[in-house]
Amino acid sequence: MSEIKTIVVNRSAYADNDLEAESLRSYLKEKGTFLVNLMSSPGSGKTTTLTRLINELKKDYRIGVMEADIDSDVDAISIAKNTGVKSIQIHTSGMCHLDAGMTKSGLDNINIEDLDLVFLENVGNLVCPAEFDTGATLDIMILSIAEGDDKPLKYPLVFEKCDLVIINKIDAIDYFNFDFERCERDIKMRNPNATIIKISAKTGQNINDVCKYFRNKIQNWKEN
Amino acid sequence: MSEIKTIVVNRSAYADNDLEAESLRSYLKEKGTFLVNLMSSPGSGKTTTLTRLINELKKDYRIGVMEADIDSDVDAISIAKNTGVKSIQIHTSGMCHLDAGMTKSGLDNINIEDLDLVFLENVGNLVCPAEFDTGATLDIMILSIAEGDDKPLKYPLVFEKCDLVIINKIDAIDYFNFDFERCERDIKMRNPNATIIKISAKTGQNINDVCKYFRNKIQNWKEN
């Protein structure tokens, strides 16, 4: 198991988070590091999904992971153990989200010089993380079917902000009343450009579709 | 279906939320209204659990429900339709939690004069609601097994603050790797006095244990 570096970040001093986020995006472009901000509720399967994705994508990219959490190190340890990639834990000092300045602190600590792709696992929360641009190149979220198909109505902002919505735990569909059609319609109502991919991180079903999505996005980003 | 009253609350002007919360608790005691603050992640089953509980408890108590949400009215409509009790929707103006002042605004709108028991369904979020005392008589939370057994480690504050932790969706145990022993040990480490009850809101399993818990709590509160 890799040794896990844990850093503690505090609320940024920057008055204008949007400006700071744009500046971070330019910096990442210059460095050639693609940053993915991953948002979801607690327990939607972020860490399991990341583990699956990284074990596929690490053949093609040098990957790093920044795990944001209020207090524990369990995710960074799990990622390092199960993928072998560079992983750090960011403690948010009780904060319920990351902003661009906090993200930049994380990136400075993971050292992006030798990384093509960095995943930021934001704090498990459907409300606050959506309000703060982290400076990521791509925003994605995971909704598990166990959470219910009404979430796009109840937490509209996070669905509006995401380029990709992953619907997870589809292997457990027999246990939950989840109307995919309703859910997808409500996501598209909020965000007509969102891509939606249904997966089971547990069984690996459709993980390749998500990998293909990332490969295309990274290729387009490099070319533009 | 009852007509749903929706109110919009804003961040309170009160500098000291703890003081305001204590004052609200005294006011509720004087009025004889027991207020339960219900916290959880999005999709843990708060509304389904409340529906089950209310349909049992409404034989003995005059019940009201305040559903807090960022934007939608789906929960208040569902509660009113499926239980028949008085239900209002509180829109939080984008806020990720309720404080005591916002809770008091809700109570003023639902009119507690003819209510013995009011449930406040807080915003679905394991982080922020735990930081603000609403003034409730009892704090409870729901963790669904689909979210994972590591949540007491990752969101310690909400587990510390709760009198009762309900572990929901136990009917789906075959689909999830959930270690009850680990979870209960970690809850007790944070909060030795917490009561833990395992239920399935979907099938109704052990709902009677939660009802019994409430009846005891309300009885003790009345006598002290």
Side-chain angles (χ1 to χ4, degrees), chain A residues 13-218:
Chain A
Y14 302 102
D16 190 335
N17 183 64
D18 287 346
L19 206 69
E20 181 64 14
E22 280 310 324
S23 152
L24 181 52
R25 250 186 300 276
S26 304
Y27 168 79
L28 288 163
K29 187 72 201 278
E30 195 183 297
K31 295 286 182 186
T33 305
F34 192 91
L35 176 63
V36 179
N37 173 36
L38 173 53
M39 296 178 280
S40 86
S41 292
S44 66
K46 283 193 292 305
T47 311
T48 310
T49 303
L50 267 190
T51 301
R52 286 271 186 193
L53 290 173
I54 291 168
N55 281 330
E56 284 300 317
L57 294 170
K58 70 183 180 186
K59 301 163 199 162
D60 305 315
Y61 306 99
R62 298 167 300 169
I63 299 177
V65 177
M66 306 195 296
E67 291 285 339
D69 217 334
I70 306 287
D71 198 33
S72 81
D73 297 338
V74 293
D75 289 338
I77 293 169
S78 162
I79 288 283
K81 180 179 161 189
N82 296 313
T83 68
V85 306
K86 190 152 68 164
S87 166
I88 66 166
Q89 186 75 49
I90 301 177
H91 283 176
T92 62
S93 310
M95 290 279 286
C96 48
H97 66 275
L98 289 180
D99 59 22
M102 295 156 90
T103 304
K104 178 68 166 56
S105 299
L107 290 167
D108 290 344
N109 275 278
I110 200 170
N111 185 15
I112 61 172
E113 296 294 337
D114 58 355
L115 296 177
D116 308 307
L117 173 59
V118 174
F119 288 100
L120 169 64
E121 189 179 319
N122 214 313
V123 179
N125 182 334
L126 282 192
V127 187
C128 317
E131 293 170 9
F132 293 85
D133 188 343
T134 58
T137 324
L138 196 78
D139 290 299
I140 71 173
M141 70 167 292
I142 300 180
L143 172 71
S144 87
I145 61 158
E147 294 166 59
D149 52 29
D150 59 354
K151 294 301 164 287
L153 288 182
K154 298 181 68 178
Y155 302 90
L157 191 62
V158 68
F159 288 90
E160 277 171 34
K161 296 273 175 169
C162 281
D163 302 288
L164 169 67
V165 178
I166 294 173
I167 301 180
N168 191 22
K169 306 193 186 179
I170 60 169
D171 57 295
I173 189 62
D174 292 347
Y175 271 90
F176 299 102
N177 302 319
F178 189 94
D179 183 340
F180 287 108
E181 208 170 301
R182 174 194 175 184
C183 186
E184 294 186 25
R185 189 189 63 223
D186 290 345
I187 293 169
K188 291 288 187 181
M189 186 179 71
R190 297 286 180 183
N191 183 353
N193 298 321
T195 300
I196 302 169
I197 302 178
K198 294 178 243 179
I199 69 162
S200 165
K202 190 177 169 188
T203 67
Q205 191 182 349
N206 299 344
I207 285 290
N208 281 339
D209 294 341
V210 184
C211 291
K212 195 174 155 193
Y213 172 90
F214 280 125
R215 286 192 180 96
N216 282 335
K217 285 285 175 185
I218 295 169

Side-chain angles (χ1 to χ4, degrees), chain A residues 75 146 154 169 175 202, chain B residues 75 146 154 169 171 175 202:
Chain A
D75 289 338
K154 298 181 68 178
K169 306 193 186 179
Y175 271 90
K202 190 177 169 188
Chain B
D75 289 339
K154 298 182 68 179
K169 307 194 185 179
D171 57 295
Y175 271 90
K202 189 177 170 190

Side-chain angles (χ1 to χ4, degrees), chain B residues 143-150 167 173 176-180 183:
Chain B
L143 172 71
S144 87
I145 61 158
E147 293 167 59
D149 52 27
D150 60 354
I167 301 181
I173 190 62
F176 299 102
N177 303 318
F178 190 94
D179 183 339
F180 287 108
C183 186

